[in-house]
């Protein structure tokens, strides 16, 4: 694996300052390392979230890492990074702590930043989780609108596992709205996409959805 170029640049600026007497690049080097730290915090936080999904044991360090990443990206003026980090912070509140009041404003802010930065993937994630929140709150029309917009973006990106995951939610919504034929069709499409993408976790969710909804 290669080293991050920002770390290599920091070493070069160190040598220029110490041995060459030119410290003009130190501030830029520090900013570069702030970016490395933000990227690392976000990546570590996501791994902790994946562990939570596997074993359902919460680790508060994940939220600390997401908030640290968001703060660093904000200082760097990186709205795309800040939006992504805030999305994960909001997801921690929503999924790990089941705290919708804390999650919603963070997810809305993440969506606004991602939209401004033209980050379609983070937009799709934020819309998905805002749709989940609307569904949990009984706002079915809003939930459907959010999930359908997220799905449209994921189709645009070619993110098939993400499309399949959204279709599971849309299947539940269709059944709750007494659109059982639509629910069955949506889950059939989800199955085809998840199979193509080898998204075995999503296939398990589809099986559970069919069982919950009493669909073939």
């Amino acid at each position: 694996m290669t080293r991050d170029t920002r770390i290599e640049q920091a070493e070069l600026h160190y040598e220029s300052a110490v041995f060459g007497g030119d410290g003009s690049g130190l501030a830029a080097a520090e900013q570069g390392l702030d970016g490395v730290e933000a990227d690392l915090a976000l990546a570590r936080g996501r791994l902790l979230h994946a562990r939570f999904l596997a074993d359902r044991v919460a680790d508060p360090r994940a939220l600390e890492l997401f908030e640290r990443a968001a703060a660093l990206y904000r200082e760097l003026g990186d709205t795309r990074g800040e939006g992504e980090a805030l999305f994960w912070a909001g997801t921690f509140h929503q999924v790990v702590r089941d705290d919708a009041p804390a999650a919603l404003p963070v997810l809305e802010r993440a969506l606004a930043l991602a939209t401004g930065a033209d980050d379609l993937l983070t937009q799709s994630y934020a819309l998905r989780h805002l749709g989940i929140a609307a569904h949990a709150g009984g706002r079915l029309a809003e939930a459907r609108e959010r999930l359908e917009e997220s799905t449209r973006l994921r189709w645009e990106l070619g993110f098939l596992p993400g499309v399949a995951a959204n279709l599971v939610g849309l299947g539940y919504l269709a059944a709750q709205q007494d659109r059982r034929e639509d629910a069955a069709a949506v889950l059939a499409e989800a199955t085809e996409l998840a199979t193509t993408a080898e998204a075995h976790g999503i296939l398990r969710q589809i099986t559970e959805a069919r069982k919950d909804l009493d669909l073939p």
Side-chain angles (χ1 to χ4, degrees):
M1 296 180 68
T2 58
R3 298 180 68 189
D4 191 295
T5 56
R6 292 168 294 184
I7 294 176
E8 294 176 351
Q9 286 296 313
E11 291 180 352
L12 291 175
H13 286 303
Y14 162 81
E15 292 176 359
S16 293
V18 173
F19 301 116
D22 178 8
S24 61
L26 292 178
E30 288 173 350
Q31 282 192 327
L33 292 181
D34 284 344
V36 172
E37 183 181 347
D39 292 348
L40 180 59
L42 181 57
R44 285 192 181 280
R46 290 180 63 178
L47 289 178
L48 290 177
H49 186 72
R51 288 186 183 278
F52 168 78
L53 295 178
D55 58 29
R56 294 292 162 175
V57 177
D59 189 331
R61 291 180 300 164
L63 180 60
E64 295 169 6
L65 287 164
F66 294 142
E67 290 179 339
R68 175 60 176 161
L72 286 166
Y73 286 129
R74 189 178 308 118
E75 291 172 8
L76 292 167
D78 183 346
T79 56
R80 184 190 182 284
E82 183 185 356
E84 185 179 1
L86 285 177
F87 161 73
W88 286 103
T91 296
F92 184 93
H93 287 299
Q94 182 186 46
V95 176
V96 180
R97 290 185 172 166
D98 193 24
D99 186 350
L104 287 176
V106 183
L107 291 171
E108 291 283 9
R109 178 59 178 161
L111 177 60
L113 289 172
T115 301
D118 200 28
D119 180 358
L120 301 187
L121 183 59
T122 299
Q123 286 181 60
S124 82
Y125 271 107
L127 285 163
R128 169 181 166 80
H129 281 258
L130 288 166
I132 290 170
H135 192 177
R139 303 185 305 279
L140 302 189
E142 177 188 343
R144 182 180 179 183
E145 180 181 354
R146 297 281 200 176
L147 282 172
E148 286 181 344
E149 177 60 11
S150 173
T151 303
R152 184 190 68 77
L153 292 172
R154 291 179 170 194
W155 274 118
E156 185 176 338
L157 292 166
F159 181 24
L160 296 187
V163 172
N166 279 0
L167 292 177
V168 176
L170 287 167
Y172 276 106
L173 280 169
Q176 284 186 264
Q177 293 176 320
D178 294 324
R179 296 182 290 111
R180 291 186 61 79
E181 289 187 5
D182 288 347
V186 163
L187 292 179
E189 184 181 5
T191 300
E192 181 179 349
L193 289 171
T195 300
T196 298
E198 298 184 353
H200 301 294
I202 305 302
L203 286 170
R204 287 193 291 272
Q205 293 178 23
I206 296 166
T207 298
E208 292 172 4
R210 285 200 173 101
K211 182 179 179 181
D212 291 342
L213 301 174
D214 193 25
L215 292 171

